[in-house]
Structure formats: C-alpha cells, structure tokens
Amino acid sequence: MTRRNNLKNITPVPSAKEFIDILLSRTQRQTPTVVHKGSKICVIRGFYIRKVKFTQRNFHEKLSTIIDEFPRIDHDHPLYGDLLHVLYNKEHYKLALGQVNTARNLVTKIGKDYGKLLKYGDSLYRNKSLKVAALGRMCTVIRSISHSLAYLEQVRQHMARLPSIDPNTRTLLVCGYPNVGKSSFLNRVTRANVDVQPYPFTTKSLFVGHTYFKYLRYQVIDTPGILDRPFEDRNIIEMCSITALAHLRAAVLFFLDISGSCGYSIAQQAALFHSVKSLFMNKPLVIVCNKTDLMPMENVSAEDKKLIAEMKAEALKTAIGTLPHEFNNGFCDVFRHQTSLRNYNDQPLQIRTFLYHPTNPDWEILPHHYPPKL
C-alpha cells in the first residue's frame, strides 16, 4: 500500500479561524505594507494585486496539502477503506474532502477575478476596496467549510492511531471469542505490549507485533473478540476483526478456550467458528486449544471433543493441499523458538556462556613433518 506509512504523517488540519488567522498574518508579514497616496496608479495596482495573489496562492497551497495527504480510500488497499468506513462513514469522508476541493477552486477563482478587476482600478481607494473584498470572500469560503475541517481533523487523529499493517507480507491473524488468550499469545510471541485483563473486550482495536523465524519476518495481528450474533448487530470493535479477516491474506489462528473461563462454552465458540468460517476460505487455518493448564484435553467431554474434531475437519477444507498441516508444524516451531529464546535470555550470563571444543579429528594438532632431503 503506497500510503501505509503516511497515515501517521498527515499534517494536522487547523480550524477555520486558525486557518484564516495564519494565512492573513503571513500575507501581512511577507508582502509590502505601505503604499503612498501620491504613487503612480500602476504602482498602486501592483501593490494590491500582489497581496491578493499572495493570499490566494497560500490558501490554495494549504488546501491542496490537506487534499493530497489524506488517503484516497478507493485507490488504496480495501482493508484501510473498510476500516475507515467502520470507524467513520466513508461517504462523509468523501464529502468532506470534496467540500475542501470545492473551496480550493472557489478561492482560486476569486483570486483570478479580483486580479482582473484590480488592473482597472483608477484610485487608491478603489484598489484598496477591491483587495478587502477579495480577502473577505476568501475568508467566507473557508468559514463555510469549518465543519468539514473539524471532521477531517478527527479522522486524521484516528488514522494516526491505526496500526501500520502491511497487507502484502507474511501475516498471522489471531481471532476468537473475547478473553480466550489472544493478546497474551501476541505478547508472548512478539515484543508487543498489549493490555491483558480478566474481562472481555480489553482489546478494542487491531494490534500488530512482529517476530522472526528462520530469518523470515512475520506480522502477527491481534484482533478484538467477536461474538456469535447477526452481522448487523455487531459493534464497531467486532467489525474491525471482521474487516481484517475479510481483506488480509493471512494464516488464521482461531483460539478456543476449552476451560470455559472466558465465559463461553465450547459449543458457543464452535457456533462462532461455523458462522464466520466463510471468511477463512483459501487461508491456512489452525484451531488453537488454549488454557489447557486449567483443563487438560483428557478432561474435555466427549461432546466437546466431537465439536473440536468437526472444527479441525473444517479447517482442513479451507486451504488447498497439505498447507494447513505444514503451517501447523511451523506455528508450533515459532512458538517453541520464541519461548525458549525468552527463557534463555532470562538466565545468568554464566549459564548462557558455552565453550566449544572441536571434535573433528582433522582439527587435531599434527606432528611436524620434515622432507627427507632435509
């Protein structure tokens, strides 16, 4: 995505009053301020034309910066377009940018029209009146889009908080019911520091961590919890997870709390899996049975084991060939590698220091050999 790294660098959008104050102050500071009454009429005309053109150019540049820096959601990856539509209505966003673009065109037209009128001003008073009218009309146009500027500033602040997700890299997507251990897994496997609490919906947005395995970089995304209910009844937090599942080509880890400590039974979690399994098609899928320390798999009832087996069978159908099995092994290797690495780093330096003794006989010290002629 071309704008993925620019979402956090969008220039803040000032309010209409700040917009006008900044640009009129700049015009006052950077253009001549005094013209004598006895000057030639061509000098007077040039004095006021310069002020009008300078102000018009500054308004145009500032509005163009706003329009160019905000992403075009129809041209970017659909993940960001749908995320923006979930958080802020996509149509309202387009309308606000359209109003800013209209204001830019109006300001440009005002500057050109009054520039032509100023060429025919026959007195100092007439030229000054035209300049005041031109700047006043430009300020009126900016005040008319004050609500759009405030709306775009809210959108910019929210965009700056969105994680930098690369849709084209290797991705592991963690999903499931709330409070089943998704954030704890992300904190353990990556260096992310997601808040973990013993109540549902602690995670309210997407969180991204990164890990390395066999010299390859993986992107791990923690999604908010999803409840098993109709699509139209899901809230904004749940729709963030649905959007990520729908648009990211990722290996999916569906977390299952077999202990029931999350407040939902295995049957409820299985119902959620079957309701959203259409989002898993053509993606590697692994069913992760979590919290086995609270309830070992041997203590799970036969009915729940049957539900888990059905989910595993469905997981094998979502991808082609042996990819799920290969990914399962790779996922376990990644987890073991990160766990052992953290345990290793916690040990004292003396334990982590290892002196290597070569055992290859070719490396043994050989006796001196002198040629017979010597």
Side-chain angles (χ1 to χ4, degrees):
M1 178 178 174
T2 57
R3 296 177 179 265
R4 177 177 57 89
N5 297 323
N6 297 332
L7 293 179
K8 301 182 185 300
N9 301 324
I10 299 176
T11 305
V13 182
S15 64
K17 184 177 183 304
E18 294 172 348
F19 206 111
I20 294 170
D21 291 344
I22 291 171
L23 295 186
L24 292 185
S25 175
R26 184 182 300 174
T27 301
Q28 185 69 14
R29 286 183 288 107
Q30 298 185 11
T31 57
T33 57
V34 177
V35 61
H36 297 288
K37 187 175 181 180
S39 301
K40 293 182 179 180
I41 190 63
C42 59
V43 175
I44 297 175
R45 289 170 183 168
F47 176 83
Y48 288 109
I49 288 175
R50 182 176 178 182
K51 282 187 173 293
V52 171
K53 290 294 183 183
F54 185 85
T55 306
Q56 177 260 321
R57 186 165 59 250
N58 283 332
F59 274 116
H60 186 276
E61 290 176 357
K62 194 71 174 177
L63 294 173
S64 297
T65 300
I66 296 173
I67 296 171
D68 294 338
E69 289 189 352
F70 274 87
R72 303 289 188 274
I73 53 181
D74 291 336
H75 300 158
D76 289 334
H77 195 277
L79 169 68
Y80 281 90
D82 282 2
L83 269 181
L84 183 64
H85 186 59
V86 168
L87 302 172
Y88 291 92
N89 193 300
K90 185 164 58 175
E91 302 303 325
H92 292 173
Y93 172 76
K94 290 181 179 180
L95 181 62
L97 282 181
Q99 290 177 345
V100 173
N101 184 53
T102 301
R104 180 181 64 174
N105 296 334
L106 288 175
V107 167
T108 302
K109 186 175 184 300
I110 291 171
K112 290 181 179 179
D113 291 344
Y114 277 88
K116 293 177 182 178
L117 293 175
L118 283 166
K119 291 180 181 179
Y120 300 99
D122 54 0
S123 65
L124 176 64
Y125 175 78
R126 183 71 57 85
N127 283 279
K128 185 176 181 179
S129 300
L130 289 173
K131 186 266 297 184
V132 172
L135 269 59
R137 288 189 61 187
M138 292 180 190
C139 295
T140 302
V141 170
I142 298 302
R143 290 192 191 97
S144 67
I145 60 169
S146 58
H147 295 294
S148 298
L149 294 176
Y151 176 80
L152 289 175
E153 173 60 16
Q154 291 182 0
V155 173
R156 184 201 67 82
Q157 292 177 2
H158 208 114
M159 282 183 175
R161 293 192 292 266
L162 288 177
S164 296
I165 299 175
D166 186 358
N168 302 316
T169 192
R170 303 174 188 85
T171 304
L172 306 179
L173 194 62
V174 184
C175 65
Y177 255 98
N179 205 27
V180 296
K182 303 185 297 296
S183 299
S184 300
F185 169 78
L186 182 70
N187 291 342
R188 188 66 178 172
V189 173
T190 70
R191 293 186 177 182
N193 187 20
V194 184
D195 186 25
V196 177
Q197 298 294 339
Y199 51 81
F201 288 111
T202 307
T203 304
K204 295 181 173 62
S205 62
L206 301 176
F207 285 90
V208 180
H210 296 88
T211 186
Y212 287 87
F213 179 67
K214 294 183 179 180
Y215 306 104
L216 297 177
R217 189 169 184 258
Y218 289 85
Q219 176 179 247
V220 186
I221 301 177
D222 178 24
T223 63
I226 310 173
L227 299 179
D228 183 25
R229 52 185 176 182
F231 182 82
E232 58 274 6
D233 294 339
R234 290 194 167 103
N235 56 28
I236 294 177
I237 299 176
E238 295 174 90
M239 289 306 299
C240 290
S241 299
I242 298 297
T243 302
L245 286 170
H247 293 297
L248 285 177
R249 299 188 61 184
V252 181
L253 309 180
F254 188 86
F255 269 62
L256 198 65
D257 182 4
I258 63 173
S259 67
S261 60
C262 64
Y264 305 98
S265 63
I266 295 181
Q268 290 175 303
Q269 298 177 66
L272 171 66
F273 173 82
H274 290 292
S275 66
V276 298
K277 66 181 180 182
S278 59
L279 300 173
F280 304 148
M281 294 307 297
N282 299 324
K283 298 176 184 176
L285 175 62
V286 176
I287 307 299
V288 181
C289 295
N290 198 22
K291 300 186 182 181
T292 54
D293 55 333
L294 300 179
M295 177 180 288
M297 287 295 295
E298 295 78 14
N299 298 341
V300 178
S301 64
E303 294 181 358
D304 290 340
K305 285 184 178 180
K306 183 179 179 181
L307 292 174
I308 296 174
E310 292 176 356
M311 295 169 65
K312 289 182 178 179
E314 289 290 338
L316 294 175
K317 298 177 183 178
T318 58
I320 303 172
T322 59
L323 189 56
H325 176 68
E326 294 173 358
F327 174 73
N328 190 10
N329 294 336
F331 157 69
C332 295
D333 290 341
V334 170
F335 185 72
R336 283 196 296 267
H337 174 71
Q338 293 293 333
T339 303
S340 62
L341 186 61
R342 292 201 175 194
N343 295 337
Y344 176 76
N345 291 334
D346 293 339
Q347 299 296 328
L349 181 62
Q350 294 82 357
I351 297 178
R352 290 189 284 162
T353 304
F354 177 71
L355 181 62
Y356 181 75
H357 299 280
T359 57
N360 192 331
D362 294 338
W363 294 349
E364 295 179 359
I365 299 177
L366 300 177
H368 295 291
H369 174 69
Y370 299 100
K373 293 182 180 181
L374 295 178

